């Protein structure tokens, strides 16, 4: 969806006898902003009214209304003040506005719901709507005074522009969601070649018949965002979700410019290629490879000689400046507006944490990569003098435990750093294992003293002596090998069944019993789950095979898929999808998860900590979080009753799965 302001007319207001959504007519629209003319026309006799086009707006004031007669009078007064039209397009545009307003119904409606960044029926929304009404009233008063300075953008307006908007009865399309239609059902497309649908621009990309190199963008209701008359030969709409479209014309195919989503030229074509980085940033690359960072929308130069610009998972932007020697410290970070967060002085910058806003940075020093800590204010908290700093992955923020961060200094000694980058104690001992997940636990470390493995708290105090280092490492290796199945005999291939065999041999009652395990014992849902699963099996690839000791067991994972996808009793999460953990109630629709919050989350926490938090939340409800297939990069999650846990594990094992109960 592209947030759009629209003007409509209606004979009656919502709540009045005779109001009918079917009789609402469109007048004008503009994407991403409210044009000054829309505000001016609604500025006298204005009232906030409900607007049932939006579900939440059926009983709540959310749009502005004014008498059409007043809007017509305002347009006439403005027309008397406006500059003489510069061209035929301006004459036609002004005449079109006059015609549409003259034919309008009794009430003018300004719908700007999509542009208010608050929910309808909240104090913030009401305040934003009131601010818009005040702005509209101020423009109306300026018109009454004949204040040409206040009205300047409107007085010089020609055809469709940010000041006046796009005027057409086709704006009625904004009464519903704009979406792709079958090209055969759109009459004006019949004389054009449809190249494809650009979802982020909500337009068809089209070309002239017989001239495939001339491109345009047009909405399903006929508004040309990029007219074919512009002779555009290259369109870059893949970043339209950032608000911009890049283009080049037949006259200068090697020069590229920028349009906004209304088709207005923001930056005229200039030599070189353009790449939209964010709503505020643009990379320009010359034919010789020289690159620079420009600001949108004005094209101001922010930084020259910048390469490899890209979005990060934490919302910031990576930059790299080309080095002219063997220097490796060339990476930095910008915010979304182009402000320098960290200068290009590092070999790498990992993600900033969501809470502590701390990132791990590295520098190449004397041929060695060493690590430090920096915050999002640009401060280097800990200099790059550590051999390693603990994080879940090589791009993750530092892992925080009890407001401390585990590190190994350049001499190989274990230490803990405070959140301001200072050592919590003087390092004396190396870690007892090279795997950081072993060396550091939730509240203590394993270290080596005099050839023996010890536990040590986060203040540097030794706690307990264990075994020799060699025996300690051997024990850890054995435990890890057991956990991942190394050294075990290769499992015998399980039986497998095709869809037809499952349909012919499976016992439906047994399937319902198995489904009930996944659906908290709900017999009706279990029966529905089985029916849906068997229907899908009937349409499955006949040569597909499913492993399991029995036809019913082979069907178990399919039952879970149905329970998750169709009935909301499970979900799949990628191992990196840590940010989805707090929203687990949106993925698994159970009452017990509605009030889940991950209050104890720390920067650097991975899926393991998140799933443990969910499991702890479910425990008082006598429920268990389960992962149907452990050891994979994807978590296949469901919830079972505690009383069903043993039965669930038994069936899952029979289905050649590796169940994990959390």
């Amino acid at each position: 969806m592209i947030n759009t302001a629209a003007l409509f007319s209606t004979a009656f207001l919502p709540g009045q006898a005779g109001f009918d959504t079917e009789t609402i007519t469109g007048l004008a629209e503009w994407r991403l902003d409210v044009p000054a003319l829309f505000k001016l026309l609604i500025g006298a006799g204005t009232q906030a009214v409900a607007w049932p086009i939006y579900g939440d707006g059926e009983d709540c004031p959310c749009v502005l209304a004014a008498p059409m007669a007043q809007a017509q009078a305002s347009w006439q007064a403005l027309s008397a003040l406006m500059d003489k039209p510069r061209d035929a397009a301006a004459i036609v545009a002004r005449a079109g506005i006059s015609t549409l307003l003259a034919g309008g119904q009794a009430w003018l409606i300004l719908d700007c719901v999509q542009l208010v960044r608050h929910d309808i029926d909240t104090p913030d929304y009401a305040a934003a709507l009131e601010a818009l009404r005040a702005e509209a009233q101020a423009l109306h008063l300026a018109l009454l005074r004949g204040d040409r300075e206040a009205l300047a953008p409107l007085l010089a307006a020609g055809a469709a522009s940010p000041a006046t908007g796009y005027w057409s009865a086709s704006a009625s399309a904004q009464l519903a969601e704009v979406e792709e239609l079958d090209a055969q059902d759109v009459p004006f497309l019949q004389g054009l070649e449809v190249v494809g649908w650009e979802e982020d621009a909500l337009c068809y990309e089209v070309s002239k018949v017989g001239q495939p190199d001339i491109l345009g963008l047009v909405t399903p209701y006929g508004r040309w965002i990029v007219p074919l008359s512009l002779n555009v030969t290259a369109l870059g709409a893949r970043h339209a979700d950032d608000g911009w479209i890049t283009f080049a014309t037949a006259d200068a195919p090697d020069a590229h410019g920028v349009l906004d989503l209304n088709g207005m030229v923001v930056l005229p074509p200039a030599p070189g290629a353009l790449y939209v980085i964010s709503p505020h940033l643009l990379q320009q690359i010359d034919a010789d490879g020289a690159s620079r960072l420009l600001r949108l929308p004005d094209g101001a130069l922010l930084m020259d000689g910048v390469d490899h610009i890209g979005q990060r998972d934490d919302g910031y932007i990576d930059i790299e400046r080309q080095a002219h020697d063997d220097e490796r410290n060339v990476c930095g970070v910008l915010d979304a507006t182009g402000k320098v967060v960290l200068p290009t002085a590092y070999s790498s910058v990992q993600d900033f944490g969501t809470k502590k806003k701390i990132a791990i940075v590295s520098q190449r020093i004397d041929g060695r990569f060493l690590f430090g800590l920096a915050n999002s204010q640009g401060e280097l908290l800990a200099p790059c003098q550590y051999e390693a700093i603990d994080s879940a992955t090589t791009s993750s923020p530092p892992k925080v435990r009890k407001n401390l961060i585990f590190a190994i200094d350049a001499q190989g000694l274990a230490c803990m750093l405070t959140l301001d980058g200072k050592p919590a104690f003087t390092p004396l001992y190396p870690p007892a294992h090279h795997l950081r997940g072993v060396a550091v636990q939730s509240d203590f470390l394993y270290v080596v003293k005099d050839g023996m493995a010890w536990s040590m708290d986060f203040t540097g105090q030794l706690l307990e002596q264990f075994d020799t280092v060699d025996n300690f490492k051997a024990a850890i290796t054995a435990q890890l090998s057991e956990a991942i199945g190394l050294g075990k005999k290769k499992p015998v291939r399980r039986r497998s069944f095709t869809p037809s065999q499952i349909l012919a041999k499976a016992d439906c009652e047994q399937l319902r019993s198995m489904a009930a395990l996944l659906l908290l014992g709900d017999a009706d849902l279990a029966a529905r789950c089985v029916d849906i699963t068997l229907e899908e099996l009937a349409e499955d690839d006949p040569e597909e095979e499913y492993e399991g000791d029995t036809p019913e067991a082979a069907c178990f994972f399919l039952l879970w898929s149905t329970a998750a996808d169709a009935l909301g009793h499970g979900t799949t999460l990628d191992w990196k999808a840590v940010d989805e953990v707090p929203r687990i109630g949106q993925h698994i629709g159970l009452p017990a998860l509605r009030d889940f919050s991950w209050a104890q989350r720390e920067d650097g926490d991975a899926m393991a900590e998140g799933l443990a938090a969910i499991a702890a939340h479910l425990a008082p409800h006598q429920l268990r979080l389960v992962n149907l297939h452990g050891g994979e990069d994807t978590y296949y999650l469901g919830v079972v009753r505690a009383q069903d846990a043993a039965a669930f594990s038994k069936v899952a094992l029979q289905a050649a799965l590796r169940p994990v109960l959390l």
Side-chain angles (χ1 to χ4, degrees), residues 428-586:
L428 295 174
Y429 312 107
H433 202 280
H434 69 281
L435 294 177
R436 276 171 260 165
V438 173
V440 58
Q441 300 297 309
S442 60
D443 56 0
F444 68 91
L445 307 172
Y446 285 117
V447 297
V448 177
K449 179 187 178 185
D450 298 332
M452 303 296 291
W454 284 74
S455 60
M456 182 177 75
D457 67 20
F458 288 171
T459 68
Q461 297 298 311
L462 295 175
L463 301 174
E464 180 182 1
Q465 178 179 302
F466 292 94
D467 207 335
T468 65
V469 174
D470 289 342
N471 287 345
F472 175 81
K473 291 181 177 179
I476 294 296
T477 300
Q479 292 174 28
L480 293 174
S481 297
E482 177 69 21
I484 62 178
L486 294 178
K488 293 183 178 180
K489 293 182 179 179
K490 187 175 181 179
V492 178
R493 177 173 172 79
R494 310 293 291 262
R495 296 179 65 190
S496 61
F497 300 87
T498 64
S500 61
Q501 289 174 323
I502 294 175
L503 290 170
K505 298 179 182 180
D507 183 324
C508 286
E509 284 301 320
Q510 190 172 350
L511 288 177
R512 292 188 189 103
S513 297
M514 294 163 61
L517 295 174
L518 301 166
L519 295 164
L520 307 186
D522 189 318
D524 291 337
L525 273 183
R528 185 180 170 200
C529 180
V530 170
D531 291 343
I532 294 173
T533 302
L534 295 180
E535 289 173 5
E536 292 180 349
L537 269 174
E539 299 174 359
D540 202 357
D541 181 348
E543 296 184 2
E544 185 67 70
E545 292 188 356
Y546 299 96
E547 289 188 348
D549 292 345
T550 65
E552 295 81 11
C555 199
F556 187 61
F557 190 76
L558 299 177
L559 291 172
W560 171 83
S561 296
T562 301
D565 297 339
L567 304 176
H569 275 246
T571 191
T572 57
L573 291 180
D574 184 81
W575 69 278
K576 294 183 291 186
V578 183
D579 288 341
E580 293 303 311
V581 169
R583 296 189 283 271
I584 192 66
Q586 299 175 23

Side-chain angles (χ1 to χ4, degrees), residues 147-365:
D147 187 342
R148 299 185 67 88
E149 183 177 355
L151 300 171
L154 288 168
L155 300 183
S161 72
T164 59
Y166 170 78
W167 285 76
S168 170
S170 66
S172 59
Q174 299 300 330
L175 292 167
E177 185 174 349
V178 177
E179 56 188 3
E180 180 183 10
L181 304 175
D182 191 321
Q184 295 180 349
D185 297 332
V186 183
F188 65 82
L189 291 178
Q190 301 314 304
L192 301 169
E193 293 289 341
V194 177
V195 179
W197 171 255
E198 292 291 348
E199 179 64 30
D200 291 333
L202 294 181
C203 286
Y204 299 99
E205 182 176 337
V206 298
S207 65
K208 291 182 178 180
V209 174
Q211 291 183 277
D213 293 336
I214 303 300
L215 304 172
L217 289 176
V218 61
T219 69
Y221 51 92
R223 179 184 174 188
W224 284 92
I225 301 300
V226 181
L228 292 171
S229 59
L230 287 181
N231 287 324
V232 168
T233 55
L235 272 174
R238 66 181 181 275
H239 292 298
D241 58 336
D242 285 327
W244 312 107
I245 299 166
T246 59
F247 75 103
T249 64
D251 295 336
D254 295 327
H256 291 78
V258 177
L259 304 167
D260 66 18
L261 295 189
N262 289 295
M264 298 291 101
V265 175
V266 175
L267 296 178
L274 296 178
Y275 300 93
V276 176
I277 304 300
S278 78
H280 308 284
L281 300 175
L282 182 74
Q283 184 180 17
Q284 183 181 52
I285 302 178
D286 295 339
D288 63 2
S291 173
R292 62 197 58 84
L293 189 66
L294 308 179
R295 183 176 63 201
L296 285 168
D298 61 5
L301 177 65
L302 294 179
M303 194 175 294
D304 212 349
V306 182
D307 302 302
H308 307 297
I309 306 171
Q311 291 277 7
R312 297 158 51 96
D313 289 340
D314 57 6
Y316 292 95
I317 294 168
D318 276 324
I319 58 169
E320 205 173 296
R321 302 197 78 157
Q322 189 171 9
H324 299 290
D325 49 29
D326 194 33
E327 178 60 55
R328 304 287 183 89
N329 301 322
V330 295
C331 298
V333 176
L334 307 177
D335 69 12
T337 67
K339 178 183 177 183
V340 175
V341 176
L342 292 177
T344 50
Y346 302 98
S347 293
S348 65
V349 181
Q350 296 176 210
D351 286 346
F352 288 97
T354 55
K355 285 188 175 182
K356 310 301 184 186
K357 299 297 183 183
I358 297 174
I360 299 173
V361 297
S362 71
Q363 290 181 320
R364 184 178 174 87
I365 300 173

